[in-house]
Amino acid sequence: HPTALPLNPSSSLSGDTGVIHVVEKEEDLEWALSKGPHPPYMILLNGSLFSREILMQLKGTSRISGLAVAAASPAPSQGFSPGLKCPNDGFGLYSEQHGPEYAHCNGSIWNPWGSGVSYEDFPFPIFLLQDANETEVIKECFRAHNVPAAAGAAPRFPLCAMQLQSHMHAAASTVTCMRRSSLQSTFSINPEIVCDPLLDYNVWSSLKPINASGKVEPEQRLILAATRVDSHSFFWNVAPGAEAAVGSFVSLLAAAQALQAAPGALQLPRNVLFVFFQGETFDYIGSSRLVFDMEQEKFPLRLENIGAFLELGQVSLRNDSVLWMHTDPISRQNQSVDSQVQNLLDVLLSSSSGSNVSLQEPENSQPLPPSSFQRFLRSRNIPGVVLSDHRTAFHNRYFQSIYDTAENIRMSYPEGLTPEERLEFVTDTAKALAEVSTLLARALFSLAGGTGSTESIKADPKTVTRLLYGFLLNSNNSWFQSLIKPDQKGILGEATLESNIPAFPAGIPTFPTVIPAFLSIIPSFPLQFPYFPSEIPIFPLFEYWWVQGPLQGNSSSRAPGCVRSGVRLSPALSPAFELRRWDSREFSTWTESRWKDIRARIFLVASRELELLTLSLGVLVLLLSLLCTFLINAKASLLFGLPAPPGSSGY
């Protein structure tokens, strides 16, 4: 029973079954596609061959009943991205009505490795096998039973077969499945929901606490520093997102910590808002919802309160320590916006002096890369800059794939380190990202009205290396455990957290689960309180969390404490579902199908002739049994000597 992770392609209700055929080189496909005498086939595919070309070949035939993919190790050197060449196309800033010369990534293909297979519909289940030992079990079964004795001959029965079961209940599209679910919820006592909208939470915090139930004054201007926390993958629940998301939000977390620790930070004229958007991979779910809430006055800030916007894109794969400052050429046609943007660029350049980070600006004619900032510009011209490690195309060859791992951003450790030693070891990647955090913290300090030298503001590489280790390699470590609430300690049971935005109801721990815990310990607010949560006064600027705390010495007991936090959550649910506009072209309308049973198994199957013979003999035995039963019942009195029924009695 190999552990497998299903993708959206659905199996039949009872599962799809086929004879196993192992494909380790492209020539091996010919047997399953044309020559093999025992279709349908269940393909076990080497991960290095997992490509659009091969998937389209398998999709175009009825001889294939399913696909199990053995993860490639190491990652394919040629790169692999199942996402689109133009991510989030149609939901960003540029369209036929606004900047048509930049619409559909015209002249700026951001993800040249994108094959788009994540957006194809496949008629068979596709599973990922990550355990090499389980993959070897399947291969041994194949070699023992499915390899013909002579070249060109058919293998002898019994054959090794596999069944994959991942039946999805949703049908057609979001419009159809949401309508069906809505009707069920309205008229049925026990509704059978077939799909759910993607839903999680954005995380936000601020330099100086903001009353979450109030409103910021209209004349106040804040600096908004943002990044995304989610990624995506072809396979459900396997989306590490090291370069796509983790490096960026870890850098922003470290920048927030550095800024909070800066002398005079709480006396700055302007406040700084840190926002971590969820669901951006699926057509900007988090940012479009936050903009919607601001416009509907369901958020403490309005769009006019944003004085400047700084966003971290992909920043982990810098060439020659260069970061690129991307701006929007259309909004800069406004002279007032252009002057503010130029001021932003000047502040960033001055903040980079003396550091190991070099900032450059691409040509004025180049549009913004895929970024949350685009959703804000759709509603209002806001001066802003997106920082990334690429000028044009992504440096990330594994964008939105299972191979966007710690190795992709060059994280490495010496041999022989224990898990705790790896947690504390400062990698070269952590040092490089700490430099980005330092640059960002210094720029935010200046933009918020800080004067004087910013050389004392430095991000802590130790914090960065701990965060990278926790989010990419092992979330169940001593430091993460010390930050979370006691009732949440079970969420760190898996090796890593999930970067995919889940469907409602969420059943898996995601990055926004731990990000608030880290933001809560940033030292601008007092941490430990000598009393219990029930004794804490209610104050709308803060929330109070009881956390597990660090281990006490060498014992297994912890020193818990109460944390006063200015961290808040806001819904990351597309406004399309709030408005019940399931066919919206303005907002994301992604949903996820529900399923009940996910499993895979291998077994031996007999020849069709033997199966028919067995069936025939079974039917014959059944008929003979019925005939014998009828004859015995008809002659029961003779066979068993039953007494004759009594006649009428006379008196």
Side-chain angles (χ1 to χ4, degrees):
H1 300 271
T3 301
L5 298 164
L7 174 68
N8 291 337
S10 175
S11 73
S12 61
L13 185 60
S14 59
D16 290 345
T17 303
V19 174
I20 295 174
H21 181 64
V22 175
V23 176
E24 295 183 328
K25 55 185 183 296
E26 194 166 350
E27 293 76 18
D28 296 337
L29 276 175
E30 188 179 2
W31 179 267
L33 295 176
S34 59
K35 290 184 176 181
H38 306 118
Y41 285 95
M42 188 70 66
I43 301 295
L44 176 60
L45 185 68
N46 188 309
S48 61
L49 298 176
F50 190 66
S51 64
R52 181 181 182 87
E53 292 72 24
I54 288 181
L55 283 174
M56 291 300 104
Q57 289 185 58
L58 300 180
K59 180 180 178 179
T61 177
S62 60
R63 292 173 58 88
I64 305 300
S65 59
L67 178 63
V69 182
S73 182
S77 58
Q78 70 274 17
F80 172 71
S81 173
L84 299 172
K85 293 184 182 296
C86 186
N88 293 2
D89 186 23
F91 290 87
L93 175 63
Y94 308 109
S95 64
E96 284 75 8
Q97 292 74 37
H98 185 89
E101 66 271 27
Y102 306 123
H104 312 301
C105 296
N106 185 23
S108 54
I109 301 299
W110 298 107
N111 183 30
W113 290 276
S115 63
V117 293
S118 284
Y119 301 86
E120 292 285 344
D121 180 25
F122 294 98
F124 46 75
I126 304 177
F127 280 42
L128 173 68
L129 304 178
Q130 291 184 287
D131 191 319
N133 293 329
E134 293 173 340
T135 303
E136 189 58 31
V137 169
I138 301 175
K139 289 183 178 180
E140 288 178 1
C141 187
F142 166 78
R143 288 190 289 263
H145 300 278
N146 295 5
V147 176
R156 299 177 60 182
F157 285 95
L159 299 177
C160 188
M162 177 186 288
Q163 182 185 58
L164 301 180
Q165 183 167 346
S166 61
H167 180 69
M168 304 278 175
H169 297 283
S173 64
T174 288
V175 176
T176 303
C177 74
M178 287 300 294
R179 183 178 66 246
R180 290 180 180 178
S181 295
S182 179
L183 290 172
Q184 286 276 347
S185 301
T186 303
F187 298 107
S188 176
I189 298 176
N190 298 309
E192 183 70 25
I193 306 300
V194 295
C195 69
D196 301 290
L198 300 185
L199 165 66
D200 205 11
Y201 293 94
N202 298 321
V203 182
W204 62 275
S205 183
S206 55
L207 180 64
K208 292 178 280 188
I210 294 176
N211 185 350
S213 60
K215 290 287 184 292
V216 173
E217 295 299 325
E219 65 275 6
Q220 290 188 25
R221 296 292 179 268
L222 292 84
I223 313 302
L224 197 153
T227 190
R228 66 174 59 189
V229 299
D230 69 302
S231 183
H232 181 41
S233 168
F234 188 86
F235 296 98
W236 178 77
N237 207 18
V238 188
E243 160 74 343
V246 177
S248 305
F249 74 71
V250 163
S251 299
L252 186 57
L253 286 170
Q257 183 188 48
L259 181 61
Q260 297 275 14
L266 295 182
Q267 286 73 47
L268 290 172
R270 287 186 173 185
N271 203 352
V272 179
L273 187 73
F274 300 97
V275 183
F276 301 83
F277 290 117
Q278 172 70 303
E280 297 301 272
T281 301
F282 293 94
D283 299 328
Y284 305 117
I285 291 176
S287 55
S288 62
R289 179 54 185 265
L290 188 64
V291 171
F292 177 81
D293 287 345
M294 286 181 174
E295 292 175 333
Q296 301 296 317
E297 297 193 358
K298 297 179 180 179
F299 192 77
L301 273 71
R302 304 171 184 85
L303 287 172
E304 55 263 30
N305 292 125
I306 303 174
F309 197 111
L310 273 181
E311 180 174 353
L312 281 186
Q314 300 179 61
V315 294
S316 303
L317 296 177
R318 288 180 289 144
N319 286 339
D320 301 322
S321 298
V322 175
L323 276 185
W324 294 89
M325 302 181 292
H326 299 271
T327 58
D328 171 43
I330 298 178
S331 60
R332 292 189 68 177
Q333 293 174 5
N334 181 297
Q335 186 175 357
S336 173
V337 173
D338 183 62
S339 63
Q340 295 177 72
V341 171
Q342 192 58 52
N343 178 61
L344 264 174
L345 297 174
D346 293 340
V347 169
L348 285 166
L349 286 169
S350 63
S351 300
S352 67
S353 62
S355 72
N356 291 326
V357 181
S358 174
L359 292 178
Q360 295 186 30
E361 186 180 0
E363 296 82 2
N364 292 334
S365 60
Q366 182 177 306
L368 285 170
S371 54
S372 306
F373 184 38
Q374 292 196 29
R375 291 299 303 194
F376 286 79
L377 287 174
R378 280 172 67 119
S379 298
R380 185 182 179 87
N381 281 343
I382 299 172
V385 175
V386 177
L387 296 175
S388 75
D389 56 21
H390 56 89
R391 182 178 68 87
T392 52
F394 297 160
H395 291 164
N396 186 6
R397 296 175 299 161
Y398 307 109
F399 183 69
Q400 295 181 0
S401 84
I402 61 174
Y403 303 114
D404 189 9
T405 59
E407 289 77 12
N408 186 35
I409 59 173
R410 302 160 189 160
M411 281 179 61
S412 60
Y413 297 87
E415 294 289 337
L417 294 185
T418 65
E420 282 301 308
E421 290 171 341
R422 286 160 68 93
L423 173 66
E424 301 295 334
F425 181 81
V426 180
T427 62
D428 292 338
T429 301
K431 294 175 184 176
L433 288 177
E435 292 171 353
V436 175
S437 303
T438 298
L439 163 68
L440 184 61
R442 291 175 178 176
L444 291 172
F445 184 85
S446 299
L447 291 170
T451 57
S453 174
T454 58
E455 291 184 2
S456 62
I457 302 176
K458 291 184 179 180
D460 181 17
K462 180 76 74 174
T463 298
V464 175
T465 204
R466 285 176 165 185
L467 288 169
L468 290 174
Y469 178 79
F471 284 115
L472 291 175
L473 296 177
N474 182 14
S475 62
N476 193 11
N477 60 71
S478 59
W479 191 54
F480 272 28
Q481 285 286 0
S482 70
L483 303 180
I484 63 175
K485 304 174 186 179
D487 59 350
Q488 290 183 318
K489 60 183 179 181
I491 68 173
L492 302 181
E494 300 295 331
T496 56
L497 297 169
E498 175 56 35
S499 70
N500 247 333
I501 180 172
F504 180 82
I508 52 176
T510 57
F511 287 162
T513 310
V514 175
I515 288 175
F518 176 77
L519 281 172
S520 300
I521 67 164
I522 290 176
S524 68
F525 310 136
L527 299 183
Q528 301 292 333
F529 288 80
Y531 39 70
F532 291 92
S534 59
E535 302 171 358
I536 295 175
I538 301 300
F539 191 64
L541 293 180
F542 302 103
E543 290 186 355
Y544 297 86
W545 296 350
W546 192 254
V547 299
Q548 292 196 111
L551 291 170
Q552 294 179 316
N554 295 325
S555 68
S556 59
S557 61
R558 295 184 176 272
C562 187
V563 172
R564 184 170 71 171
S565 170
V567 181
R568 308 286 180 171
L569 301 177
S570 67
L573 172 67
S574 172
F577 299 101
E578 185 94 352
L579 302 170
R580 297 178 67 85
R581 288 164 45 191
W582 302 320
D583 59 348
S584 172
R585 296 296 179 183
E586 181 182 0
F587 301 113
S588 165
T589 55
W590 286 95
T591 54
E592 182 178 296
S593 174
R594 285 198 179 184
W595 61 82
K596 291 184 178 179
D597 198 9
I598 300 171
R599 58 181 177 174
R601 62 182 181 132
I602 58 176
F603 50 89
L604 297 179
V605 293
S607 66
R608 182 60 56 89
E609 292 77 11
L610 181 57
E611 289 176 339
L612 291 175
L613 178 61
T614 304
L615 177 63
S616 302
L617 289 175
V619 172
L620 180 61
V621 169
L622 174 63
L623 294 176
L624 289 175
S625 299
L626 292 175
L627 178 62
C628 291
T629 302
F630 173 77
L631 293 175
I632 291 173
N633 185 65
K635 302 296 182 180
S637 58
L638 179 63
L639 293 173
F640 303 109
L642 297 178
S648 58
S649 301
Y651 295 93

